[in-house]
Amino acid sequence: MANTFQKAAFNRKLTYSVLIVAIFVVTLFGRGKFTLPGDLNKYTVKSQADRWKLSSDSRGGSELSGKAIQLVLTGSQGLVTCILWLKANDYQRNQEWNKLEVVVDSATKLQPYFLTPWLFQSWNLAYNVSVTMTRMNDMYFYIARGISLLAEGESINENSPDLRYNIGLYLQNKFTVSDKVNTLRCLYQLSCIPPDERKADLLLTPDRKAVNMQAFLEFCNKHPQLVRRLRESTVALSQPADIVNFLKENVKVPTRYRDGMNLEVSGYNQFPVLPPQFLNDEAEELTPKREIQDRDADALVAARAWYRYSMVPVPPPNNRPVHLATEEEKAKYRIPKSPMLVIFLQAAPRSQTYIAERLQKEGWIDNDPWKVDEFRDIGEPERWFTQDVAIPPSMTSQEAWEKAFRMWDEHGKGRGLFYDKATMANLVSRAREFAQHRGKAIEELGQQTEATPEELADPILRDRFEAYEDLRNFRLNASVTNFKSFLFCSEAEMDRDTLEARKIFFKAEQYKKMAKTSKAPALYVKAFELWKKVFLKNPYFHRGDEEAGGNEGDKQQEEVLEYEINYLDIITGPYLSKRREAVLALNDIMNGLGAAGTRDPLQVLGSVYLMNEAKLVSVSDRIEPLPQPGPLDGDDPNGRPWISPYIRERVKQRLAPTRQAAAQAAQSAPRPTPTTSSVGP
C-alpha cells in the first residue's frame, strides 16, 4: 500500500516538473527569447512590447546606476521616492542648492518612466529655484539645469509628446517673458558660441589695457544680434570695454562644448539641448551636431524644434478639424495630456511668430544693415567707431514673418482650421441635412453626437454625420485659438509697407530714447501715413474678424496708439515746458506781491503776461497738455475711427500710472530761482 502511494506521489511530482519545464520553455518562446517559424514572432510578448513602446529598451535610453538601485530597493522604491521628494522640498526651503540637485537627480532615476517627477522637478529648478538667484549667471544656470533635466527624462521616455512640448515651453517662456529677458538671451547666445571664440582676451590689445577695435569689429560682424542687444536693449552696455567685461564675467556658462571648440558627443549633455534629427531636411531645424550661427542663436528657434519634434508621435494632419482622439487613435498614437490638442499642435508656428516679433523689436526689419553709430555724432562719448560702420543682418523679421505665414497656412490647411466661403457653406449644408434626418435643428444636436450603426452603414448619412462632426469641431477650435489672427497678421507683417513703417517707427523711437527729438517728428509722420495705408490694405490686421465679434486688431491699434502718444509728447514737450515755467514764475510773483503789499507796475505787467502764457484761470489749476490733434485722430475713408474709442481709453488707463509718475518727477525737478527782472513782456 505504501509503495502504491509513494509511486503515485512520485508520478505526480514528475508530471508537475515536466509541466513546469514545458510551460517555462513555452514562455521563453512566447517572450521572444527564441526565434519562431514564419510570422509567429510578431505575436510574442517582446515583439508586442517593442511595437507599443512598453519595454524599457524601446521606451528610450536607460541609466545603469538607476537600474541597479531599482533592483536593490525592490518593493520600497515608491517609499524612497516620496522621502527624496520631501527632502528636495526641505533643501529648497533652506536654499541648499547642491544637495537639492543631488536629491532631484536620485528621485528621477528611481522612477524614470513616471513623467510627473521629471516635469515637476525640472519646472521647480527652471522657475522656482532660478528666481531666487541674485546673480544673472546663477539664474541662467538653474534655468539651463531644469531644461536639461527634462531633456534627460525625454531621452529615457521616448515618444512622449508631453516632455518634448514642455522643453519647448520652458525655452519659450524663460527667454521671452522673463523680467531679465535681454540678459538671459545674451547668456543663451554665449552658450551657442565656442568658448575659444568668445574669450575676452581676443578683443584686447597685447597689453590688455584697451579694446582692439579691429578684433572687436570682427566680433560684431560675426555676432551682430548679440552685440546689438547688449548695446541697445535694457542691458545697455554703452562702450566696447563694457561688452568685453560682459564676456569676461560670463566666461563660464552652460554650453554645447566639452572644450574650447568641440561639441559634446551626447546631445543631451549640451546646452541648449536640441532634439535629434527627425526631419528629412537636416537644415530645417537645429540638431545636436549642427553649429548654431548668430541667426539661429535664439531659444525660440530651439523651442520651435522641440515643438515640431513633439508632434511626431501624435495623429498626423488629415485636412479635417482637430477632434477628441478616438480609441483607435489612442492605441496607435500618443495623445498629450495637456494642453488641449488643437492648442498643442499650434505651438511650432506660434514660436515662429515670437521669433519674428523679437527680430522686429530689436530692429532687424529687413536687409538694411545695422548702422552701429547711426544715432551718435562724431565726438559723442558713446560712439564706438570714428568711421561709419554698417553690419549686415544675420536674420530679419521679413524672413521670419514669411516663414511664420507658411507655417500657419500649412497648419491651418492640415488641421482644418480655415475654410473658404464655398467650402464652409457646403459643410454647413451637409451638417444641417444630418440634423434634419434626426428631426432636429442643427443647434439641438448637442456638443457630442454619436452616429448609430445604421447611419454609419449608409454612405450618404455617414458623410453628413462627418460634416456635422467637422463643423462642431471647427467651431470649438475657432473659439479656443486665434488661428485666423496669426495667419492674417503674419501675412500683413511681411508686406513691404508694413516693414517700411516698422523700420521708420523703430528709428523714431531710438531718437526719442536718446533725447534727440528734433529728428523724430518727421519720421513719425511718415510712418503714420504708411501705417494708415497698411490698415486700409489689411482690414483684419486693423480690426480683426468683426463678423465674429473678434478683437484680433486690438494689438495693432494699441501698438500704433502708443507711437502716437510718444509723438505727441515730443511735439508738445517744448510748449508744456514753457507753460510749466510760466506757472512757477507767476506763482512766485503773486506770492511776492502778497507778502510785500506792493503794486510794482513791472511785476503786475509780468504777471499778466505769464497768466496769458500759462493759459490758466488761476495758478492752482492743473497743467494739461495743449490740445494737439494726433495723426490717427478722426476717421478713415470708410467713416470709421482709425483707433477705436475703447482702445484709446484702455491704453490711457494702462499708461496713466507711468505717465503720472513721470510728470511728478518733472515737477519736482530743481529749477533756478526766478527774479523779477527775468520775466516780462
Side-chain angles (χ1 to χ4, degrees):
M1 191 70 178
N3 291 334
T4 303
F5 287 145
Q6 288 178 350
K7 186 176 181 180
F10 174 79
N11 291 336
R12 187 166 55 250
K13 292 177 181 178
L14 181 61
T15 302
Y16 289 162
S17 299
V18 171
L19 287 174
I20 290 172
V21 172
I23 293 172
F24 178 71
V25 172
V26 170
T27 59
L28 289 178
F29 283 98
R31 290 165 58 193
K33 297 297 183 180
F34 300 104
T35 303
L36 297 174
D39 294 335
L40 295 177
N41 284 301
K42 67 180 181 180
Y43 299 108
T44 63
V45 173
K46 183 179 185 303
S47 176
Q48 293 296 314
D50 290 340
R51 178 189 176 191
W52 299 109
K53 303 290 184 181
L54 297 176
S55 66
S56 59
D57 293 334
S58 61
R59 292 185 69 170
S62 58
E63 202 270 330
L64 183 60
S65 61
K67 287 282 187 182
I69 295 173
Q70 291 173 41
L71 291 173
V72 170
L73 292 175
T74 60
S76 60
Q77 182 178 329
L79 175 62
V80 174
T81 303
C82 292
I83 294 173
L84 289 175
W85 197 300
L86 294 173
K87 293 294 291 183
N89 292 336
D90 290 337
Y91 289 143
Q92 179 179 338
R93 194 178 302 112
N94 297 327
Q95 299 187 354
E96 298 179 71
W97 309 122
N98 292 334
K99 294 181 180 179
L100 171 66
E101 191 166 351
V102 172
V103 170
V104 167
D105 190 56
S106 301
T108 52
K109 284 182 171 56
L110 277 177
Q111 292 187 318
Y113 305 122
F114 183 33
L115 300 188
T116 301
W118 295 107
L119 289 168
F120 176 79
Q121 295 296 358
S122 61
W123 172 84
N124 191 38
L125 290 173
Y127 287 82
N128 290 344
V129 176
S130 67
V131 297
T132 64
M133 301 294 115
T134 54
R135 294 178 65 249
M136 288 301 300
N137 200 298
D138 293 336
M139 177 185 292
Y140 179 66
F141 171 82
Y142 279 102
I143 291 173
R145 183 69 188 94
I147 295 172
S148 297
L149 179 66
L150 193 56
E152 183 183 351
E154 193 280 331
S155 70
I156 297 175
N157 296 274
E158 289 184 355
N159 283 332
S160 169
D162 296 280
L163 293 181
R164 295 175 182 179
Y165 177 89
N166 276 278
I167 296 172
L169 187 66
Y170 291 6
L171 286 164
Q172 176 178 293
N173 284 352
K174 299 308 294 186
F175 296 94
T176 301
V177 297
S178 170
D179 294 338
K180 305 292 185 180
V181 63
N182 289 308
T183 305
L184 290 174
R185 283 174 175 169
C186 292
L187 294 173
Y188 179 93
Q189 283 197 258
L190 294 186
S191 294
C192 300
I193 303 173
D196 283 357
E197 287 187 11
R198 52 180 170 86
K199 288 181 178 179
D201 290 348
L202 297 175
L203 306 180
L204 297 175
T205 55
D207 60 4
R208 299 185 181 180
K209 293 183 179 180
V211 177
N212 183 333
M213 294 307 294
Q214 182 58 39
F216 182 72
L217 178 58
E218 293 175 4
F219 186 83
C220 293
N221 275 287
K222 194 165 186 179
H223 309 287
Q225 292 192 45
L226 171 63
V227 176
R228 188 174 191 176
R229 187 182 303 114
L230 286 170
R231 187 183 197 188
E232 295 183 354
S233 73
T234 53
V235 184
L237 302 182
S238 60
Q239 297 295 333
D242 298 329
I243 294 179
V244 174
N245 288 333
F246 181 85
L247 297 178
K248 186 183 299 183
E249 292 169 0
N250 297 287
V251 65
K252 292 184 178 180
V253 292
T255 182
R256 308 181 67 215
Y257 299 85
R258 67 173 182 271
D259 51 38
M261 292 296 294
N262 297 311
L263 289 168
E264 284 279 2
V265 177
S266 172
Y268 291 98
N269 291 331
Q270 300 177 8
F271 189 82
V273 63
L274 298 168
Q277 182 181 342
F278 61 96
L279 299 172
N280 294 330
D281 185 0
E282 185 179 357
E284 184 70 15
E285 293 293 350
L286 293 174
T287 63
K289 296 181 180 180
R290 273 183 57 187
E291 296 284 345
I292 300 180
Q293 305 299 324
D294 183 76
R295 62 178 286 120
D296 293 324
D298 183 354
L300 292 167
V301 176
R304 185 187 67 201
W306 279 107
Y307 284 143
R308 295 183 72 177
Y309 189 43
S310 71
M311 289 188 283
V312 171
V314 303
N318 59 359
N319 303 321
R320 295 182 62 189
V322 180
H323 55 272
L324 294 176
T326 62
E327 293 302 320
E328 181 181 356
E329 288 174 327
K330 290 179 181 178
K332 189 175 182 180
Y333 303 104
R334 298 294 178 92
I335 308 301
K337 295 181 180 179
S338 65
M340 185 177 178
L341 184 58
V342 68
I343 298 176
F344 176 95
L345 294 170
Q346 73 172 23
R350 183 70 183 96
S351 64
Q352 182 61 32
T353 298
Y354 278 128
I355 293 170
E357 291 173 343
R358 194 268 303 170
L359 289 164
Q360 183 174 276
K361 185 177 180 180
E362 294 183 352
W364 304 105
I365 309 297
D366 56 16
N367 289 322
D368 284 358
W370 171 39
K371 297 177 181 178
V372 179
D373 293 311
E374 181 177 11
F375 305 104
R376 299 159 184 87
D377 298 327
I378 294 177
E380 291 189 16
E382 291 189 353
R383 187 179 175 92
W384 285 0
F385 302 99
T386 55
Q387 296 179 341
D388 291 335
V389 172
I391 297 177
S394 59
M395 183 67 176
T396 68
S397 66
Q398 181 179 10
E399 296 176 68
W401 281 122
E402 289 171 355
K403 185 178 180 68
F405 177 74
R406 291 195 301 270
M407 291 183 70
W408 282 113
D409 185 57
E410 180 182 349
H411 171 66
K413 291 176 180 176
R415 301 296 180 177
L417 287 165
F418 183 73
Y419 293 117
D420 56 40
K421 291 185 177 179
T423 306
M424 176 56 73
N426 177 266
L427 190 68
V428 172
S429 175
R430 289 156 54 210
R432 185 173 288 112
E433 288 173 352
F434 178 76
Q436 291 172 352
H437 162 74
R438 289 284 184 91
K440 296 182 179 180
I442 192 171
E443 295 81 7
E444 296 176 348
L445 289 178
Q447 289 298 312
Q448 293 184 346
T449 300
E450 297 293 334
T452 63
E454 293 77 12
E455 291 171 337
L456 293 176
D458 187 327
I460 297 178
L461 288 178
R462 182 187 183 94
D463 175 74
R464 292 172 180 175
F465 170 73
E466 290 178 352
Y468 167 75
E469 285 288 287
D470 286 351
L471 180 63
R472 178 177 66 84
N473 290 319
F474 173 82
R475 290 175 174 173
L476 175 63
N477 295 340
S479 68
V480 297
T481 68
N482 281 336
F483 165 75
K484 289 177 67 177
S485 174
F486 289 125
L487 177 68
F488 292 131
C489 288
S490 59
E491 183 180 30
E493 289 284 6
M494 67 184 188
D495 183 81
R496 184 66 255 178
D497 288 332
T498 312
L499 294 168
E500 187 65 21
R502 292 282 190 193
K503 188 165 58 175
I504 298 172
F505 273 133
F506 178 82
K507 188 176 292 187
E509 290 286 299
Q510 287 295 103
Y511 277 124
K512 181 180 184 297
K513 185 172 70 173
M514 300 184 66
K516 295 186 177 182
T517 53
S518 61
K519 298 181 180 180
L523 292 172
Y524 276 117
V525 171
K526 183 178 179 181
F528 283 125
E529 290 305 311
L530 275 173
W531 205 254
K532 289 180 180 179
K533 186 177 178 181
V534 170
F535 271 171
L536 291 175
K537 194 165 29 173
N538 303 279
Y540 198 101
F541 186 66
H542 186 188
R543 304 186 190 279
D545 190 357
E546 295 184 294
E547 293 182 1
N551 58 352
E552 295 89 346
D554 288 6
K555 178 182 176 182
Q556 285 69 243
Q557 291 192 39
E558 288 190 21
E559 189 174 21
V560 76
L561 180 57
E562 290 189 28
Y563 287 142
E564 183 184 65
I565 291 171
N566 291 342
Y567 165 71
L568 292 176
D569 283 347
I570 291 175
I571 65 172
T572 61
Y575 300 103
L576 290 175
S577 178
K578 192 174 182 181
R579 292 179 68 205
R580 175 177 173 273
E581 292 174 2
V583 171
L584 295 172
L586 178 60
N587 190 46
D588 288 338
I589 289 176
M590 298 303 291
N591 289 338
L593 290 175
T598 61
R599 291 294 182 269
D600 185 333
L602 181 60
Q603 288 183 326
V604 173
L605 186 60
S607 65
V608 171
Y609 165 78
L610 290 171
M611 289 189 70
N612 181 64
E613 182 67 23
K615 294 182 174 63
L616 300 174
V617 177
S618 68
V619 295
S620 62
D621 281 352
R622 184 179 177 189
I623 303 175
E624 295 290 348
L626 291 174
Q628 177 69 35
L632 296 175
D633 283 352
D635 299 338
D636 64 17
N638 299 318
R640 303 183 62 185
W642 288 108
I643 306 295
S644 302
Y646 82 94
I647 294 290
R648 288 189 178 276
E649 183 62 27
R650 190 162 72 186
V651 172
K652 179 180 177 182
Q653 293 178 0
R654 176 164 57 83
L655 297 181
T658 304
R659 294 175 64 79
Q660 185 176 5
Q664 291 174 351
Q667 289 186 7
S668 62
R671 62 185 178 87
T673 303
T675 61
T676 305
S677 59
S678 65
V679 295

